Amino acid sequence: MTADHPSTPPGEPPGTAPGQPGTPAQAEHPESILLDEPSTADLRAKVTQAWQEFARSLAERLPALPEGAHVELTLDPTASGTGDAVYSIGVDVGAEGRLSARAVGNASLPDGYRLDRMAVADMIALGWSPPGVVEGSGEYFGLEGTTADANRIAALLSRTLRDVYGAPHPAFLVYLIHDAEGEPLPGAPLGTARSEFGPGRVAEADLDEALVEAVAAQTEQNDVLALEERVRTVVSTMLKSDSDRLQVDSDGDINIRAGSAMVFVRVRDNPPLVDVFSPVLTEVRPTERLYVKLSELTNRMPIGRLYCADDTVWASIPVFGRNFQPTHLMLAVQVMTGLADELDDRLHGEFGGKRFFGEGDKAVRRDEGEHRTGMYL
């Protein structure tokens, strides 16, 4: 694995660690270190904002933690598809605000998921000490600092998770914050990352319970019906509604409104697949410039794709139906509802066409008899 971004923040010499002379800790906000190039606007800007919020929340949380507290930041292997590889960072709070961080190294990673030479160099450039150098670090990269350096340390940890460990978005992170006795410490969420404690985890527990009940009620049905029922249970749990109150159209698709956009959830049987999709724009003229734009946006998306078919711009995120994972569908729905509502406005302003709930939108003019697509395929 290698980093996709420069390892050293602008104006900072490689290897500068938190708290070193000449590096003002509190004066530099964590988001300033996380800014990407202006050319990576659009979707990349939204992802960057999410990382900025995560770093800012972490920087605010660290100084407030009591002595003996522990913070664990982990790239969710289920959501990210890293299998048995667990990329994580642990931070311990000591006396007088001392912070001791440990980041997983190659000794703890399976073959195929170990950091290559460039990634290891990136770790050192960010400020980590090689495994075993910091006392007590053992097989982990080590970092020492204080809560006075919270801004810089939060940015460093965020860049490690993003640039070296490959987390595409903070939503792929799971975090745990507890005291010396292992009891959870209350506090504001770390951006879009998911807490091992709190409402997010309770929602997943409720979802597991709801799925057990749904599966028990469908024991005599075939796999397709079982998958369809599971999907309905996941979506209704996310929307805090009963499954029989979901909006379902004549095609059997679940309808979810997201601002000026509409998101559909469709279960396919061959092969078993759940498609989370949205007609971002309809009645839009397909041009080379539009195709180039959609290709660029797709390349910047952590998951899913954008494409144009029959004068309609579609956004789609597929979820495997075989060995169905509810958390994968939850992530797909969360990403799609935000993506569709954001993109339809941007693309409409640049290419015209009609948004699903765009009152007053005008379609491109066409010759009589020329094919035109409505809201649905």
Side-chain angles (χ1 to χ4, degrees), residues 290-329:
L290 174 62
Y291 286 123
V292 170
K293 183 69 171 181
L294 297 180
S295 177
E296 292 176 349
L297 292 174
T298 296
N299 287 336
R300 297 171 188 166
M301 292 170 59
I303 54 176
R305 67 187 181 114
L306 292 164
Y307 61 96
C308 183
D310 295 331
D311 305 339
T312 300
V313 173
W314 297 90
S316 173
I317 301 178
V319 178
F320 288 116
R322 186 173 286 111
N323 297 323
F324 176 71
Q325 298 293 325
T327 53
H328 292 186
L329 178 58

Side-chain angles (χ1 to χ4, degrees), residues 61-136:
R61 193 77 183 272
L62 288 176
L65 296 176
E67 180 180 349
H70 177 78
V71 179
E72 192 75 23
L73 307 170
T74 304
L75 174 59
D76 186 349
T78 301
S80 60
T82 55
D84 295 330
V86 178
Y87 298 96
S88 64
I89 298 174
V91 182
D92 291 312
V93 181
E96 299 180 351
R98 295 293 303 175
L99 296 177
S100 179
R102 302 290 182 264
V104 69
N106 283 338
S108 303
L109 296 172
D111 290 338
Y113 293 95
R114 292 174 179 166
L115 308 179
D116 60 20
R117 292 171 60 89
M118 183 64 70
V120 172
D122 287 336
M123 292 289 286
I124 305 305
L126 282 171
W128 293 96
S129 295
V133 173
V134 175
E135 184 178 357

Side-chain angles (χ1 to χ4, degrees), residues 148-170:
D149 304 322
N151 283 340
R152 181 173 296 279
I153 290 178
L156 187 153
L157 300 183
S158 300
R159 292 202 62 183
T160 301
L161 292 163
R162 184 191 72 174
D163 298 348
V164 182
Y165 290 164
H169 191 283

Side-chain angles (χ1 to χ4, degrees), residues 209-227:
E209 182 178 350
L211 285 171
V212 169
E213 295 177 356
V215 171
Q218 293 286 333
T219 51
E220 297 183 359
Q221 302 292 337
N222 59 40
D223 290 341
V224 175
L225 289 178
L227 175 60

Side-chain angles (χ1 to χ4, degrees), residues 30-31 34-36 42-58 154 158 162 167-173 189-193 302:
E31 57 266 29
L34 295 173
L35 289 175
D36 287 326
D42 296 322
L43 293 181
R44 180 63 63 83
K46 301 291 290 184
V47 176
T48 300
Q49 290 172 10
W51 280 110
Q52 291 172 356
E53 178 60 28
F54 173 78
R56 182 165 45 248
S57 301
L58 182 59
S158 300
R162 184 191 72 174
H169 191 283
F172 286 78
L173 301 178
L190 301 184
T192 55

